[in-house]
Amino acid sequence: MTTPASNPTLASQIFSRNMLICVFTGFSSGLPLFVLLQMLPVWLTDKGLSVELIGVVTGVTLPYGLKFLWAPLLDRYFPNFLGRRRSWLLISQIILLILLYAISQFDPSSQLTIVANIAFLIAFFSATQDIVLDAYRREILTDKELGLGNTIHINAYRVAGLIPGGLSLYLATRLPWETVFLLTALCMLFGLFMTLFLAKEPKIAVQDRDKPFYLA
């Protein structure tokens, strides 16, 4: 006879700790990207930049397509204060929170190079966060949970787009852009909450030849 524990209901799977974590991973992953794709072009347009310059600045999303280049390094080398995954998550999320606000402190009409460099760093650390989130999600989910977990992650990812692509743009009609960027950046606190209080470091067996190198 199949027991309820071995055959959990869909409701019990959805309202579980792992699926709640997938909501946070999707939201944290989507927010920085949609800032670059939706919020940044509107801000640059409002500051009087041409379409050509806006296209150049928003083209800094290249790191998302190249993240496979440094993904193995994040797996092998990490600061050992929260573990392999959570350490990199905390670092990338704090940096993203700072950068998402810092970019608003420069005038793109006269300091476009600085703005473009910060946008590139946002893309780089967002891609870095994605690498770790994908690995973490795969490690905490069982094979049976993976399909549901990925679905929840993707939908939360899309919901994140409503912040910079909707709410933030509405607030920009009533508040200074610096305040709007600050409020948007503070949404990264959801990811920090997950990393510090909700997520637990997965217990993964590591062979001797694959032992990680702890950063001092």
Side-chain angles (χ1 to χ4, degrees):
M1 178 181 295
T2 303
T3 63
S6 62
N7 188 23
T9 64
L10 179 61
S12 66
Q13 293 181 61
I14 293 176
F15 297 102
S16 65
R17 184 189 188 91
N18 283 350
M19 296 307 142
L20 179 60
I21 290 175
C22 289
V23 174
F24 281 87
T25 63
F27 185 88
S28 300
S29 179
L31 184 73
L33 175 61
F34 286 115
V35 167
L36 295 176
L37 295 181
Q38 297 177 334
M39 186 174 166
L40 186 64
V42 177
W43 176 55
L44 295 177
T45 300
D46 191 56
K47 294 295 183 178
L49 268 69
S50 66
V51 175
E52 291 80 5
L53 288 176
I54 293 173
V56 171
V57 174
T58 55
V60 298
T61 55
L62 182 64
Y64 287 99
L66 299 177
K67 58 186 179 181
F68 66 91
L69 294 176
W70 67 94
L73 298 177
L74 298 179
D75 190 61
R76 184 166 182 81
Y77 304 102
F78 60 93
N80 192 34
F81 55 90
L82 287 179
R84 183 193 301 268
R85 306 305 181 198
R86 293 170 66 225
S87 294
W88 282 128
L89 280 179
L90 183 65
I91 291 171
S92 60
Q93 288 166 348
I94 290 176
I95 292 176
L96 282 170
L97 191 156
I98 294 171
L99 291 175
L100 288 172
Y101 173 65
I103 195 171
S104 68
Q105 301 304 298
F106 300 92
D107 183 2
S109 61
S110 59
Q111 299 172 300
L112 184 60
T113 300
I114 297 176
V115 170
N117 287 335
I118 295 177
F120 179 84
L121 289 175
I122 291 173
F124 175 80
F125 284 102
S126 178
T128 299
Q129 181 191 222
D130 286 354
I131 293 169
V132 185
L133 286 175
D134 289 344
Y136 179 78
R137 196 172 66 257
R138 183 62 188 94
E139 290 171 354
I140 66 169
L141 298 178
T142 65
D143 291 343
K144 291 182 179 180
E145 293 175 325
L146 192 59
L148 179 60
N150 286 340
T151 300
I152 292 175
H153 171 89
I154 292 171
N155 281 282
Y157 185 97
R158 292 170 178 169
V159 169
L162 299 177
I163 303 298
L167 179 60
S168 296
L169 297 184
Y170 170 76
L171 292 176
T173 64
R174 299 174 176 272
L175 299 172
W177 275 108
E178 291 80 3
T179 303
V180 174
F181 272 95
L182 174 60
L183 294 175
T184 305
L186 289 176
C187 290
M188 287 303 301
L189 291 175
F190 288 102
L192 287 168
F193 173 82
M194 177 203 72
T195 300
L196 292 173
F197 303 110
L198 190 61
K200 295 181 178 179
E201 188 66 22
K203 297 292 191 296
I204 302 297
V206 182
Q207 300 297 328
D208 289 343
R209 61 182 177 83
D210 294 326
K211 283 184 178 178
F213 178 82
Y214 300 129
L215 298 180

